Amino acid sequence: MANMKLVVVGAAGRMGQTLVRAIADAQGVELSAAIEQSGSPALGRDAGELAQIGANGIAISDDPLTAFAAADGVIDFTVPAASVGFSELAAQARIVHVIGTTGCSVEDEARFDAAARHARVVKSGNMSLGVNLLAVLVQQAAQALAAGDFDIEVLEMHHRHKVDAPSGTALLLGEAAAKGRNIDLADHSVRTRDGITGARDEGTIGFATLRGGSVIGEHAVMFAGEGETIEITHRATDRLLFARGAVKAALWAHHQKPGRYDMLDVLGLNR
């Protein structure tokens, strides 16, 4: 069976380079194109050399339309506006679109849903096996620990360059907690506390965001009760784990019908 041909967009970035390395190491896939925005100093450079794995003959281009037409899928860890544009091209080409982009708006999500009528869209706030297992555990814990007895706090820390907050993973975990409590996260989340805030409202889900250094990603969900605290934690030490998850998602989606999926679907954890 022929390898699945994958495009990496944002190929010159830290995650893009990691994806190029992950595809080179994986079985059943090959890099067919590497895309950057117009004006990038990386245009024309060999994607393999940039990713420090040796020349692979794939020159970085700013022509996603041609690249998508010749590919089976695209892996996208870019920014919301770019991902929306890529989703439309993926729908036109009827290929797989794996999206690890975070900070997307409700309107962006609607555009991804529209693209999923023709493309196979896999979007997740985190592509790692560990985090998605963590989300399942958080949902179960939130369901078992009553709101009147346990408060929920989601804590996250990332490197100084991350531009969105809370992180996509923190929101994924918050959604899992809200699902366990059978509530709407948007109506029960607390993103900031400053000044005289008063007592905590029962049933809310709090978020705390830290930024600094080169931290790849640390997340914890805390269930705080009277006289006891339960904490579930995940620490990422290598971006490669997200890239490997994204490649796994692409291979899985290659055999699915058009639609919107997430990593719980890929891992068989959706219930």
Side-chain angles (χ1 to χ4, degrees):
M1 182 181 295
N3 285 340
M4 183 181 186
K5 296 180 179 179
L6 294 176
V7 178
V8 171
V9 293
R14 284 170 301 194
M15 195 62 207
Q17 292 178 46
T18 305
L19 286 164
V20 170
R21 292 194 291 270
I23 291 169
D25 290 340
Q27 294 185 342
V29 294
E30 63 182 74
L31 185 68
S32 63
I35 300 297
E36 262 298 341
Q37 60 187 339
S38 298
S40 168
L43 293 178
R45 292 191 59 183
D46 186 282
E49 288 186 343
L50 189 61
Q52 300 181 336
I53 58 172
N56 59 13
I58 303 295
I60 296 177
S61 163
D62 61 357
D63 182 9
L65 181 62
T66 300
F68 285 23
D72 300 307
V74 54
I75 304 182
D76 172 9
F77 285 71
T78 57
V79 297
S83 290
V84 167
F86 293 138
S87 73
E88 295 171 355
L89 295 179
Q92 292 175 25
R94 287 170 164 71
I95 59 176
V96 171
H97 188 190
V98 177
I99 307 171
T101 303
T102 57
C104 298
S105 67
V106 172
E107 292 76 16
D108 295 334
E109 296 293 346
R111 300 280 288 276
F112 298 139
D113 287 339
R117 291 197 291 266
H118 302 291
R120 284 144 284 170
V121 177
V122 182
K123 185 175 185 295
S124 178
N126 194 295
M127 296 286 175
S128 83
L129 170 61
V131 163
N132 283 278
L133 286 172
L134 176 63
V136 173
L137 295 174
V138 167
Q139 180 182 336
Q140 293 174 343
Q143 185 174 4
L145 304 172
D149 298 326
F150 286 86
D151 300 315
I152 302 175
E153 290 286 314
V154 182
L155 295 77
E156 60 106 338
M157 182 168 184
H158 283 84
H159 52 86
R160 62 168 63 95
H161 302 290
K162 188 165 179 60
V163 298
D164 60 307
S167 69
T169 302
L171 293 173
L172 182 153
L173 296 172
E175 289 286 1
K179 187 175 181 181
R181 290 272 172 90
N182 197 29
I183 59 175
D184 184 350
L185 181 63
D187 295 333
H188 292 81
S189 68
V190 176
R191 305 291 182 87
T192 59
R193 295 186 179 100
D194 187 35
I196 306 301
T197 62
R200 179 191 175 108
D201 291 332
E202 184 177 300
T204 55
I205 297 173
F207 289 84
T209 298
L210 304 174
R211 293 287 179 267
S214 58
V215 176
I216 291 175
E218 296 183 1
H219 296 84
V221 181
M222 181 183 297
F223 296 85
E226 292 292 335
E228 63 178 334
T229 300
I230 302 165
E231 188 171 327
I232 311 173
T233 302
H234 180 274
R235 293 183 177 89
T237 58
D238 190 337
R239 285 186 179 83
L240 198 56
L241 72 96
F242 307 125
R244 288 171 176 156
V247 172
K248 180 181 181 71
L251 283 165
W252 177 86
H254 194 30
H255 303 289
Q256 308 304 315
K257 63 182 182 181
R260 179 76 182 263
Y261 304 98
D262 61 25
M263 280 302 289
L264 294 181
D265 296 309
V266 175
L267 300 172
L269 297 175
N270 253 336
R271 296 186 289 124

